[in-house]
Amino acid sequence: MAVRPLLRRAAGLLGAAVLTLAGTLTAAGPARADFGTDYHDPVTATQPLTRPDTRSCTVEVMHDQPFRNGYGNPPDTPYTATLTPPADCAGPWSAVVMDLHGQVAGRQFDRIFSVRVGGVQVLLSSTPEPSKDGIEWSLEHDVTRYAPLFTAGPQPFSFDLANVTDATYTGVFTISASLTFYTADRHRPAARTADRLLTTGPFALTQAAPTAGRDLTFPQNLERLTAEVYTRGGGACEEFAYASAPDAFVSANPGLGACGKGPFRELRLTVDGRTAGAVWPYPVIYTGGWDPLLWRPVPGVFAFDLPAYRLDLTPYVGLLVDGRPHTVGIGVNAAEAQSNDVWTGQVNLFADVDHGAARTTGQLTDHRVAAEATVGTDLTDHGGGSGDWTVTAGRHDLARGWVQTSHGRITTEVRDDLVFRSAQQLRDGGNDITLHNGTDLTRTTTSWGGGPRRTTTVHEGEPLDVGYRTTHDAAGNTDQRTTMDLGYHREATTATGGHVTEHSTVDHTLRPTAHRHDGDATVRTGTSTEDYRSTGPGGPYHRTLGFVDGWPAP
């Protein structure tokens, strides 16, 4: 049973109290031989991709590639190859899908990996932690929006997974990757994608270097611009940023070993130094987080397919069409010093051009975007390593601009209303934790001119509740219980000319539990219930999964 991944993460989050469990947990065996040495392959209730029934061609770019040591001499990562779109299925395509299949056995941490095509990041993911007897898992990822890369011909392909193997951590990840190109026909027309793709390249944000940026030159006939941000918190603290304590509590309790900077994180996207939008990262929990028993076999929400956060930058187009370089930057909220370790990722930019004009012009007419979110902290320190705190954050932003195109003057307005709240209780030096986090994000984009008024509103809710308690009795028994309630809820509505033309919803909840007991008895048990519901153009979808000790519930 892989216990050390739990301890590795819990030590920085929960403090020295958790370290006292090391000897007990390492020496104990599982209550059931099949839980900890074997369990069901990872599975999820999320909706599979809807694939066109048109003629298709599959290109394999990586076959059973082993990842053993990403820090060796030489390292075995990143794996590189050339991706050549198939001539027999030439674009434009109705869809392009990337499929990954992996397997691993033994003992190993979860590992983060990235996939890039032509230098553009197209996937950010993580691996499951294996059982001793071995598991297999698969991932499908829609990469249709990156079609401009594929139409440009052969592209460099990069798969970066930094693993480590030694006498203790024996798991070698063996992974295959392929892309399937689906042709278009009159029933399945070509997908609408951007005309050009630009990227900042990878970034790393730390306290010493909280911002990064790159100069980019945009098409002079630019009409619309959308950014997507891949990002994750790394290090012992930033992986668990959502559970961090306020700095004042950390300073007053130095022996606790708790992470500081509070539970709120914001990454700000800037254009020529001006804040143009904000990303509030989802609290992704990987399969080694808190207690690995929580995630066998159902991974946490987004753990295998981390979000690409999308921001509409169209109001700023008028500033970017002069043919000169412009700096696109990314930064962690500097005023709150909100970073313990590092945030890494990449920014991609999707550019739509005016095919009827060589140049467009425009202007940013209204900019009421806060340089940073408003953050408030209410802290009560009870002493002795116990405390309560509530942290809130908010943004209410507006940006408006117009672009003069060959089909008229188009005005675009983007409104963001973002609200965050975290209420946490810490007791018994980190052995008793209660956490209630909630994020509500509403982003509204409205455009008019050159056609009917069009409004798209996307609302996202991101709840996370955690309960963790470890007790010790006079007889030397140790009991540890962890409960989670996490989810993702999304509703998107598009209205054209006052009539709703598109509507979709997602309601995804996951409730895992884990229990460990050592002393007079040995217990290793876990349960999980996952429910996924969605509506949209493809019709309604609903699936529920239940597991006990890594196997489907009877």
Side-chain angles (χ1 to χ4, degrees):
M1 176 176 49
V3 172
R4 291 182 61 86
L6 163 67
L7 300 177
R8 175 190 61 145
R9 292 176 167 82
L13 171 66
L14 309 176
V18 179
L19 295 179
T20 62
L21 301 178
T24 303
L25 293 180
T26 302
R32 286 181 54 185
D34 61 349
F35 194 46
T37 62
D38 188 26
Y39 58 89
H40 193 285
D41 288 342
V43 64
T44 177
T46 56
Q47 185 173 5
L49 293 179
T50 300
R51 304 194 184 213
D53 55 4
T54 59
R55 185 170 56 85
S56 64
C57 302
T58 298
V59 176
E60 187 175 56
V61 287
M62 189 170 75
H63 180 76
D64 286 348
Q65 178 65 27
F67 292 89
R68 294 185 175 86
N69 191 346
Y71 305 95
N73 188 18
D76 64 5
T77 193
Y79 169 86
T80 59
T82 298
L83 170 61
T84 301
D88 289 344
C89 293
W93 303 281
S94 56
V96 184
V97 177
M98 179 167 59
D99 288 288
L100 303 180
H101 180 81
Q103 53 190 334
V104 61
R107 175 181 287 183
Q108 191 53 262
F109 294 135
D110 50 21
R111 303 290 183 180
I112 298 292
F113 65 88
S114 297
V115 180
R116 292 179 172 86
V117 176
V120 173
Q121 182 154 6
V122 300
L123 174 68
L124 180 60
S125 183
S126 73
T127 67
E129 290 203 348
S131 68
K132 180 180 179 180
D133 291 347
I135 58 170
E136 298 184 34
W137 83 101
S138 296
L139 170 66
E140 57 177 12
H141 184 64
D142 190 340
V143 293
T144 309
R145 64 184 180 275
Y146 304 107
L149 297 174
F150 311 133
T151 57
Q155 295 289 329
F157 173 89
S158 171
F159 192 105
D160 193 1
L161 193 165
N163 192 26
V164 174
T165 55
D166 54 28
T168 302
Y169 300 104
T170 59
V172 175
F173 296 102
T174 303
I175 301 178
S176 298
S178 63
L179 282 84
T180 301
F181 296 79
Y182 295 88
T183 58
D185 60 22
R186 63 188 183 90
H187 299 292
R188 293 280 192 167
R192 189 191 180 285
T193 63
D195 295 297
R196 282 191 57 188
L197 262 172
L198 302 91
T199 183
T200 63
F203 64 76
L205 309 177
T206 64
Q207 286 194 48
T211 63
R214 182 173 181 179
D215 288 347
L216 299 171
T217 301
F218 294 88
Q220 291 186 272
N221 60 343
L222 185 64
E223 183 173 337
R224 290 182 297 274
L225 185 65
T226 303
E228 74 172 6
V229 181
Y230 284 99
T231 189
R232 63 171 290 267
C237 286
E238 287 310 289
E239 181 178 330
F240 299 92
Y242 56 85
S244 294
D247 280 345
F249 181 81
V250 175
S251 298
N253 298 270
L256 191 62
C259 295
K261 310 304 179 190
F264 173 69
R265 295 294 181 274
E266 172 178 272
L267 275 68
R268 295 169 295 112
L269 192 67
T270 61
V271 176
D272 290 335
R274 187 197 316 252
T275 300
V279 170
W280 291 8
Y282 184 90
V284 178
I285 305 175
Y286 310 109
T287 56
W290 292 81
D291 189 327
L293 300 181
L294 295 166
W295 319 112
R296 297 181 177 173
V298 181
V301 176
F302 294 128
F304 285 0
D305 196 350
L306 275 70
Y309 305 96
R310 297 181 71 82
L311 301 172
D312 194 328
L313 301 183
T314 304
Y316 304 89
V317 164
L319 307 176
L320 306 174
V321 292
D322 56 6
R324 300 174 181 174
H326 293 270
T327 303
V328 176
I330 190 81
V332 180
N333 190 328
E336 303 297 329
Q338 288 177 320
S339 175
N340 293 285
D341 305 307
V342 64
W343 284 84
T344 58
Q346 189 161 335
V347 181
N348 299 326
L349 295 138
F350 298 80
D352 289 292
V353 302
D354 182 355
H355 293 278
R359 297 194 63 172
T360 56
T361 58
Q363 185 177 350
L364 177 67
T365 57
D366 197 350
H367 182 266
R368 286 175 274 167
V369 180
E372 296 181 349
T374 301
V375 182
T377 300
D378 182 9
L379 168 64
T380 302
D381 191 337
H382 300 293
S386 294
D388 300 339
W389 54 86
T390 300
V391 176
T392 59
R395 264 190 177 277
H396 304 282
D397 299 333
L398 180 147
R400 183 187 302 123
W402 56 264
V403 181
Q404 187 67 45
T405 73
S406 62
H407 42 277
R409 175 174 291 192
I410 311 300
T411 300
T412 301
E413 179 182 277
V414 176
R415 291 179 178 267
D416 288 345
D417 293 289
L418 318 180
V419 178
F420 169 87
R421 186 178 190 276
S422 174
Q424 300 187 41
Q425 295 180 344
L426 190 75
R427 299 289 186 272
D428 191 20
N431 283 316
D432 189 346
I433 298 174
T434 303
L435 179 155
H436 300 289
N437 283 6
T439 303
D440 287 290
L441 313 173
T442 301
R443 302 183 189 270
T444 303
T445 299
T446 303
S447 62
W448 61 90
R453 188 182 189 94
R454 179 182 174 90
T455 300
T456 297
T457 301
V458 178
H459 175 75
E460 296 171 292
E462 302 171 355
L464 171 62
D465 295 336
V466 179
Y468 172 91
R469 182 167 175 77
T470 297
T471 58
H472 313 270
D473 63 23
N477 297 303
T478 299
D479 195 81
Q480 175 182 308
R481 296 176 185 268
T482 309
T483 62
M484 294 258 183
D485 192 335
L486 61 160
Y488 174 73
H489 308 284
R490 183 180 191 271
E491 181 176 15
T493 302
T494 298
T496 303
H499 301 284
V500 174
T501 52
E502 298 177 29
H503 182 256
S504 63
T505 62
V506 170
D507 288 292
H508 186 189
T509 58
L510 177 59
R511 297 181 177 89
T513 70
H515 179 206
R516 298 173 182 267
H517 186 91
D518 292 281
D520 54 9
T522 299
V523 176
R524 301 288 185 270
T525 188
T527 69
S528 60
T529 301
E530 183 182 33
D531 188 82
Y532 188 96
R533 300 171 183 264
S534 63
T535 63
Y541 174 88
H542 181 210
R543 189 183 185 191
T544 301
L545 297 176
F547 285 83
V548 177
D549 291 351
W551 297 99

